[in-house]
């Protein structure tokens, strides 16, 4: 009787393990499908993704491509962002100024969406304290949320709601180098 009981427990264990593996595979299939296609044309969140794909996969979205390798210190970080976004020369080098620049962009015309692709994102602000990277990720989320709302105040700066998504390219999706979870986006 003891043998049967042990064998039965082993079978239950392996059956549960197999079931969990199938559920896990289904979950990742659903998640990869969820963040493909029109997600980058959508004004709704999530506004921040990570991927292991190269920037050319997203070329049809006309992304602004930044090099994480050139953004390891705060000074270089602001230089790269402001250069790629053609920010005004008066732009300050702090998170409040970054917020102001990324939520304005009125000098960039004829855009129906903003897709920002950060190559080698693992090294962004790597020479700074971890809270600098956390603050930057929070700003990217908040900027996406801000662009998802229209501005209608009867002024020249009024604009419709527009997609603003950021994609962080990493070498290995499973090795998380970010201080919080970032959803994965596949090839589009």
């Amino acid at each position: 009787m003891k043998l049967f009981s042990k064998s039965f427990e082993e079978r239950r264990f392996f059956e549960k393990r197999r079931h969990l593996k199938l559920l896990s595979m289904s979950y990742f299939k659903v998640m990869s499908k969820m963040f493909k296609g029109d997600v980058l044309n959508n004004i709704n969140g999530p506004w921040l993704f990570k991927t292991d794909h190269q920037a050319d996969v997203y070329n049809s979205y006309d992304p602004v491509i930044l090099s994480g390798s050139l953004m390891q210190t705060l000074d270089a970080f602001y230089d790269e962002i402001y250069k790629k976004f053609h920010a005004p020369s008066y732009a300050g080098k702090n998170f409040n100024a970054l917020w102001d620049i990324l939520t304005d962009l009125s000098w960039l015309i004829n855009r129906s969406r903003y897709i920002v692709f950060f190559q080698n994102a693992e090294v962004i602000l790597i020479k700074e304290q971890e809270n600098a990277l956390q603050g930057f990720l929070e700003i990217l989320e908040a900027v996406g949320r801000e662009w998802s709302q229209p501005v209608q105040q009867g002024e020249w700066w009024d604009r419709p709601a527009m997609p603003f998504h950021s994609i962080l390219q990493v070498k290995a999706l499973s090795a998380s180098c970010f201080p919080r979870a970032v959803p994965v986006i596949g090839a589009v």
Side-chain angles (χ1 to χ4, degrees):
M1 187 73 170
K2 205 170 194 175
L3 280 175
F4 176 77
S5 167
K6 185 176 180 185
S7 173
F8 176 74
E9 287 175 9
E10 284 178 349
R11 282 196 314 250
R12 277 188 64 191
F13 170 78
F14 286 112
E15 190 60 33
K16 282 183 180 179
R17 191 169 145 198
R18 184 177 154 278
H19 180 69
L20 287 174
K21 186 176 180 181
L22 289 172
L23 281 175
S24 170
M25 288 170 50
S26 298
Y27 171 78
F28 286 112
K29 263 188 192 174
V30 168
M31 291 303 287
S32 67
K33 284 184 182 175
M34 185 182 301
F35 299 123
K36 283 186 177 181
D38 282 346
V39 70
L40 297 177
N41 285 321
N42 192 333
I43 61 170
N44 299 319
W47 297 284
L48 180 63
F49 298 98
K50 67 181 174 182
T51 188
D52 56 357
H53 295 289
Q54 297 297 317
D56 61 352
V57 170
Y58 305 97
N59 277 351
S60 65
Y61 292 93
D62 190 25
V64 175
I65 301 173
L66 295 101
S67 173
S69 301
L70 299 175
M71 301 171 72
Q72 296 181 18
T73 65
L74 276 170
D75 212 34
F77 166 84
Y78 290 111
D79 288 344
E80 175 72 355
I81 292 176
Y82 291 170
K83 180 177 99 180
K84 295 296 173 108
F85 278 101
H86 309 286
S89 59
Y90 59 80
K93 291 189 174 184
N94 58 65
F95 282 160
N96 289 336
L98 178 63
W99 162 265
D100 289 342
I101 294 299
L102 293 180
T103 57
D104 182 353
L105 301 176
S106 58
W107 53 89
L108 299 178
I109 55 173
N110 297 325
R111 286 273 191 172
S112 60
R113 68 180 163 255
Y114 294 97
I115 307 301
V116 187
F117 190 90
F118 296 90
Q119 295 173 319
N120 305 311
E122 299 98 339
V123 297
I124 293 174
L125 297 172
I126 199 165
K127 295 181 180 177
E128 301 294 336
Q129 294 179 358
E130 186 177 296
N131 66 350
L133 178 61
Q134 178 65 30
F136 174 55
L137 297 178
E138 288 173 7
I139 285 176
L140 290 177
E141 284 276 340
V143 167
R145 193 173 302 107
E146 179 72 18
W147 278 97
S148 73
Q149 302 298 314
V151 175
Q152 299 171 335
Q153 298 177 349
E155 300 290 341
W156 65 268
W157 59 76
D158 288 359
R159 61 164 178 76
M162 293 175 63
F164 188 109
H165 297 284
S166 300
I167 303 172
L168 305 165
Q169 180 210 27
V170 294
K171 288 186 173 99
L173 290 173
S174 59
S176 179
C177 58
F178 301 113
R180 63 188 183 86
V182 176
V184 175
I185 187 170
V188 290

